[in-house]
Amino acid sequence: MRMSVSILAVLISLHLLAFLLAVGAERRRSTAKVVPDEYDERTYCVYGTDASTAYGLAAFGLLLISQTILNAATKCLCFGKGLSGRASTTSAVFFFVFSWVTLLGAESCLLAGSARNAYHTKYRGFFGGDGITCATLRKGVFAAASALTLLSMVGSILYYWSHLKADTGGWEKHRNEGLGMTAADFTRQEQEQEQVGDFRKA
């Protein structure tokens, strides 16, 4: 199995786009302030933009597409041709697990951050009351998602490379060995027939 430059380019591009969206989501987190209602004595929260929610969900989708492409190309490690080479196989398994762990961490942060950022507090109390706050997403959730996205990209690339290194076609190797043995047997039979023919002529 040869390395596909197009698959690598797609994986890197999707991860980088997801990283930029996660960074943008962190910078565009929804902010809020408490303002009094003009019709009564209650107060309510006024929120800014919800761009972070859209950015986070877009990054979530891009990472999901990237992981789908990666596992389709490598047959999800469990299917397809056999792997050979102990060191290469160990590396492939390690980076397979690493890519999934970092992906799930990034996806969890993106999904939780998007959901929390979309939540808007309504009426909180009476005007002049103490402890009135508006629920907002805490700082750092999307930043953690962006860091995990980069780690997921590194893990995906190394997993793809180590899988290709280990994937020497185990079944093809055994088949080629079988073909080689068959050819050797056929050559041996021809030599024996020639020897028998020479003996009869003598």
Side-chain angles (χ1 to χ4, degrees):
M1 184 177 180
R2 298 178 60 184
M3 179 175 290
S4 174
V5 178
S6 60
I7 292 178
L8 274 179
V10 170
L11 292 178
I12 294 174
S13 300
L14 290 175
H15 277 89
L16 288 179
L17 284 175
F19 169 76
L20 293 176
L21 287 172
V23 173
E26 178 66 24
R27 294 175 62 88
R28 298 290 300 276
R29 287 181 300 110
S30 181
T31 58
K33 61 180 180 179
V34 179
V35 296
D37 195 322
E38 61 180 338
Y39 299 107
D40 55 31
E41 295 182 352
R42 286 184 175 273
T43 58
Y44 63 96
C45 297
V46 176
Y47 287 85
T49 177
D50 284 336
S52 287
T53 300
Y55 290 170
L57 292 177
F60 178 91
L62 290 176
L63 287 180
L64 193 60
I65 294 173
S66 175
Q67 194 71 3
T68 301
I69 294 174
L70 175 63
N71 285 277
T74 59
K75 302 297 188 298
C76 197
L77 187 67
C78 305
F79 305 99
K81 301 174 183 178
L83 302 180
S84 63
R86 184 174 181 180
S88 300
T89 302
T90 302
S91 298
V93 172
F94 172 79
F95 287 117
F96 173 78
V97 175
F98 181 80
S99 66
W100 270 107
V101 170
T102 52
L103 172 82
L104 292 177
E107 296 282 56
S108 299
C109 291
L110 290 171
L111 193 59
S114 299
R116 184 61 178 173
N117 188 79
Y119 176 77
H120 290 177
T121 303
K122 295 184 179 180
Y123 288 96
R124 297 295 296 172
F126 291 96
F127 180 71
D130 297 330
I132 299 176
T133 58
C134 301
T136 56
L137 175 67
R138 67 174 59 185
K139 186 177 181 181
V141 176
F142 286 119
S146 62
L148 289 171
T149 298
L150 289 181
L151 290 177
S152 176
M153 181 183 70
V154 174
S156 298
I157 294 173
L158 292 177
Y159 163 58
Y160 183 60
W161 176 78
S162 58
H163 183 276
L164 291 178
K165 188 177 180 182
D167 186 11
T168 56
W171 294 110
E172 289 187 357
K173 181 179 179 181
H174 292 304
R175 184 181 65 181
N176 293 336
E177 289 177 352
L179 291 175
M181 292 177 63
T182 303
D185 293 339
F186 181 75
T187 303
R188 192 181 304 110
Q189 290 178 359
E190 285 186 342
Q191 292 176 353
E192 291 177 355
Q193 289 178 359
E194 290 178 358
Q195 291 176 358
V196 171
D198 293 341
F199 178 76
R200 289 179 178 177
K201 288 179 180 180

